[in-house]
Amino acid sequence: MNARLPQVDPSVTAQLVAALTPRLRKRLDSGVGKVAARPVSREGDVVRIALDDDTDLELHAPGGVVTRAEAIRCGCLLAPDCLHRAAAASAAPVAEPAALPTTPAPPTTPAPTTDPGTASPPTTHGAASPTGAPTPTTGATPTAPHSPPPDEHAHASTPAQVTATPAQRTAATALHDAAAAVLEAGTDGAGAVLQAELLRAAHTARLAGLPRAAGRAVAVVTALRAARGGDPAYRLADLTAALREVLVLAHRIPEATGPGLAGLRGSVRQPYTPDGSLRLYGLFAEPVLSATGYAGAVTWTADPTGRLHTVSDVAPGGPERATGAADRAVRIGDTSLTHRELSRAGLAVSGATVSPAGRLGAGAGVRAVRASGVDWSAEPLDRLWAVPVTEQISRALRDDQNAREDQDLLFLDVTLVGTVREAAGECLLAECDGLTVRLTTAHDHPALPHRENLRLLASVPGVRLRVIARLTPGPLPRAALLAVSHPTDPGRHVDLGLDRLGRADLPTAPTGRPHPLPHPADQPHRAPHPGPSQRPTPPPPVDDAPLHLLRRRVTQAVSGGRRVLAFPGGRDTEAARLRRYGLGTAGDLLTELHATAADRARDPFGRLLPADTARFVRAWLGAALYTEFLDRALCAAAWGASLGTTGRSTAPGHSTTGRPTEEPGATGMPAVPDPEAAIRPAAPPARSGH
């Protein structure tokens, strides 16, 4: 993805690629690389690419987005049927759905008004959550114990008999086929042509009123381009999550009804509803720097009941906008407060409008004035830390398609211990309610001070702090640090992504243990040194639950495609190992995944027939959903919390245990098994005498 080029509507890219001849389509990927390497200049809304000394390629992008194929003009002799126009569109960033004009689906019920003064920025958290909500996520429920569930009345008026329209079913089928082709090919084979097909399906879904699925499809294309372009921000886990959600949405939308369908459809712009007068107290602010080219800042506030609201300033930009947005005035009423000031002050708002995600609207009827703030130890902010940690974890791991952006925020009282080195770098260890929690950086970009602040905090073990972090699901307690109380002045706090700590901010006297306290999981097992009369004792198995065997194959399929899983190897051994540790469903899913990848029938003349892509996709999706749910179960177990229900029902063609049945023509997905049964400790396999 070339950040110097303007964003391009997915339909434009799909139209230009579809117009190419088969011969030019084969050359498209190489053409994308050549166009991306050429000099780029900008004059107002026109971006020029110098193809050579005499030929220019122009992209006309009013408002920063190319919305018509005719807006990409080439000066070569073969234009407009040349390769350059499609290559430029394929090299440019994909326009987010929020930036495009939409043709919404016919409403079934009166919808809340959309605040005209507030745009819906893209997901601002790293995750992307599996559901697409901040994870955000990525993809993400109420933060305070006193706030009602956000979806309690969100779809109360939607009749249960409402079903997907024929256009939405057609769009879901197109999305499924395009995403399946990407999974079949893997990142190495998913070039510009397959990306254009997925963008075409995304455009069809957006016009059919499926913005959530369209947005996740665009996220898949963005991640594919980052992978193929060697972008250091690319994460295979993010691409896997986005591709999984596209396939899940495409599978569930045709049969969904009522509130479930409304959640699966999503919305391009957040609906804002009147909320009267609000008294808000600043909590913290964080920078936003996304891989899709958006940057800015988000300030979190709380009302007297402890319910969180956000004020955001997110727009296309890079690291300089993320660092500078904190000193820009918030866009609510006539207040001159900056985001940095609001995070420590207060706000009195009249005529407030609030989205289901908790975002404050900035319409013409909204009035806001500065008010006094409170520190974290005073009401109403103190009640956020009064919620038991286990309840916070259960809330964060709840599988809710209408989740709020604050669902995964954690409010913890910790004692710093030291550091531990991991493959991704050092993380800060802290004790919290008898647990050793790993606190990591929320963003690794060098322009943001997260990493330097974490290192300074690690140099003062024993300090007691209040922290705000975002849960990072994993088999060990882990969270990304966002803000901490000041080490020497508890009445203040530090926004770790915007403020820089100095040595003068740290305690001067030793406050605790001088050395890091390693977690037991970090200590490799060492067998006792054999004495003269001792026989060597083999170490016990360190990996009591080899879940990585299935997870690795799921991500390997995304990276290398179906053919990678078709190679003979130790697949039978891996499945048998999973079963020995009580993970029978995981073993069955792994066996099915390998079988569908390697299954190639032949015609009467001995020629290989096309692979059964639909069967392979079903097997992969079942394994992906299983690992996703099991990861959440392991995370809850690590924190000592309980895991709520997922709301997913058993799909046709599968039993309640999650194992595929032999029903002919089954098109369902494996149901996720009981996580407690899946992670129940199993006795290690018996060792033979030899």
Side-chain angles (χ1 to χ4, degrees):
M1 182 178 68
N2 194 330
R4 300 173 299 169
L5 300 179
Q7 296 182 353
V8 177
D9 188 323
S11 64
V12 172
T13 305
Q15 179 181 345
L16 292 176
V17 173
L20 295 176
T21 63
R23 181 179 64 86
L24 291 180
R25 286 192 182 190
K26 296 179 181 179
R27 299 169 49 192
L28 181 56
D29 287 329
S30 61
V32 170
K34 293 178 180 178
V35 168
R38 301 303 301 168
V40 177
S41 61
R42 181 185 295 268
E43 295 180 9
D45 292 335
V46 179
V47 176
R48 289 187 176 86
I49 304 175
L51 300 178
D52 54 41
D53 294 339
D54 302 320
T55 307
D56 288 341
L57 179 67
E58 295 183 349
L59 291 84
H60 295 256
V65 180
V66 177
T67 57
R68 299 180 301 112
E70 295 78 11
I72 302 180
R73 306 167 188 172
C74 184
C76 71
L77 296 177
L78 297 179
D81 300 324
C82 61
L83 180 68
H84 303 132
R85 299 172 67 220
S90 300
V94 184
E96 294 287 338
L100 302 173
T102 2
T103 304
T108 56
T109 56
T113 59
T114 300
D115 186 85
T118 304
S120 295
T123 299
T124 58
H125 310 318
S129 87
T131 62
T135 18
T137 114
T138 228
T141 311
T143 299
H146 305 286
S147 55
D151 58 342
E152 185 177 5
H153 305 291
H155 306 290
S157 59
T158 305
Q161 65 271 18
V162 173
T163 60
T165 64
Q168 290 173 344
R169 294 191 180 95
T170 301
T173 301
L175 271 175
H176 181 277
D177 294 344
V182 168
L183 180 62
E184 167 86 9
T187 55
D188 293 337
V193 175
L194 288 183
Q195 294 172 23
E197 291 300 321
L198 187 53
L199 290 177
R200 177 184 294 277
H203 177 66
T204 303
R206 182 170 61 88
L207 295 181
L210 302 175
R212 180 180 174 186
R216 299 312 293 159
V218 169
V220 171
V221 174
T222 300
L224 284 173
R225 293 182 179 180
R228 295 172 61 85
D231 190 342
Y234 165 72
R235 297 291 183 270
L236 178 58
D238 295 340
L239 173 58
T240 303
L243 189 58
R244 180 187 65 228
E245 186 177 0
V246 170
L247 291 171
V248 167
L249 291 172
H251 173 86
R252 297 180 63 190
I253 284 173
E255 304 301 328
T257 59
L261 175 61
L264 295 173
R265 286 193 307 232
S267 60
V268 177
R269 293 178 64 90
Q270 290 280 349
Y272 286 77
T273 56
D275 204 2
S277 298
L278 292 175
R279 176 64 167 93
L280 303 176
Y281 300 87
L283 186 59
F284 77 101
E286 63 173 323
V288 175
L289 185 58
S290 71
T292 56
Y294 283 81
V298 174
T299 301
W300 296 79
T301 64
D303 63 18
T305 66
R307 189 169 186 265
L308 299 192
H309 302 77
T310 58
V311 181
S312 61
D313 181 6
V314 179
E320 64 285 347
R321 195 180 195 285
T323 56
D327 296 315
R328 296 165 60 97
V330 298
R331 298 169 52 191
I332 293 184
D334 299 326
T335 179
S336 59
L337 277 173
T338 65
H339 285 270
R340 194 188 305 273
E341 293 171 339
L342 177 57
S343 68
R344 294 163 174 82
L347 206 63
V349 185
S350 62
T353 57
V354 182
S355 75
R359 297 176 185 170
L360 291 173
V366 179
R367 299 290 182 267
V369 296
R370 179 172 185 160
S372 60
V374 298
D375 60 55
W376 287 358
S377 61
E379 289 292 339
L381 302 184
D382 180 65
R383 69 180 62 189
L384 299 174
W385 279 266
V387 182
V389 176
T390 54
E391 290 186 18
Q392 297 187 48
I393 298 300
S394 298
R395 179 195 68 221
L397 293 175
R398 189 185 314 176
D399 188 7
D400 185 0
Q401 63 188 15
N402 301 310
R404 289 169 53 93
E405 292 181 351
D406 53 15
Q407 171 173 307
D408 54 356
L409 289 184
L410 302 180
F411 301 87
L412 310 175
D413 289 302
V414 303
T415 302
L416 302 185
V417 176
T419 59
V420 64
R421 185 175 296 277
E422 297 180 329
E426 292 185 349
C427 65
L428 179 60
L429 293 181
E431 294 179 353
C432 174
D433 285 0
L435 293 174
T436 301
V437 181
R438 295 163 181 246
L439 301 175
T440 62
T441 58
H443 208 295
D444 283 329
H445 197 282
L448 302 177
H450 285 289
R451 180 65 63 184
E452 292 81 357
N453 288 335
L454 191 74
R455 288 173 180 166
L456 282 175
L457 291 174
S459 66
V460 286
V463 171
R464 183 77 173 171
L465 296 174
R466 277 197 160 179
V467 305
I468 301 176
R470 182 168 287 118
L471 177 66
T472 304
L476 294 175
R478 182 187 301 271
L481 266 183
L482 300 173
V484 301
S485 58
H486 197 280
T488 57
D489 185 358
R492 300 161 52 196
H493 75 267
V494 181
D495 298 326
L496 296 179
L498 301 174
D499 304 326
R500 291 186 181 272
L501 282 170
R503 288 290 177 183
D505 297 314
L506 304 179
T508 56
T511 56
R513 287 180 291 266
H515 301 290
L517 177 65
H519 192 275
D522 300 316
Q523 298 299 311
H525 180 85
R526 294 181 176 87
H529 185 71
S533 60
Q534 288 181 318
R535 297 183 59 186
T537 302
V542 177
D543 194 1
D544 288 337
L547 302 174
H548 65 278
L549 297 176
L550 181 60
R551 185 184 301 108
R552 180 177 61 189
R553 297 306 183 187
V554 169
T555 56
Q556 194 176 47
V558 176
S559 178
R562 179 192 56 80
R563 291 183 296 273
V564 173
L565 299 185
F567 295 147
R571 56 194 184 194
D572 295 335
T573 303
E574 293 176 348
R577 184 181 176 190
L578 288 169
R579 295 187 181 98
R580 284 200 305 269
Y581 284 87
L583 299 173
T585 301
D588 293 347
L589 291 172
L590 183 59
T591 300
E592 175 71 5
L593 184 60
H594 281 296
T596 57
D599 185 16
R600 294 291 300 276
R602 295 181 180 270
D603 64 11
F605 298 98
R607 295 171 298 189
L608 281 175
L609 296 174
D612 189 350
T613 303
R615 183 187 170 198
F616 171 70
V617 170
R618 287 197 300 271
W620 180 87
L621 191 55
L625 289 174
Y626 179 92
T627 55
E628 174 207 4
F629 191 87
L630 204 56
D631 284 343
R632 294 171 56 243
L634 289 172
C635 180
W639 289 87
S642 60
L643 188 64
T645 58
T646 64
R648 291 196 180 107
S649 58
T650 304
H654 294 82
S655 66
T656 56
T657 63
R659 293 178 172 83
T661 64
E662 299 299 327
E663 179 183 0
T667 59
M669 302 177 296
V672 179
D674 178 9
E676 296 181 359
I679 64 175
R680 187 176 300 121
R687 297 179 180 272
S688 60
H690 58 280

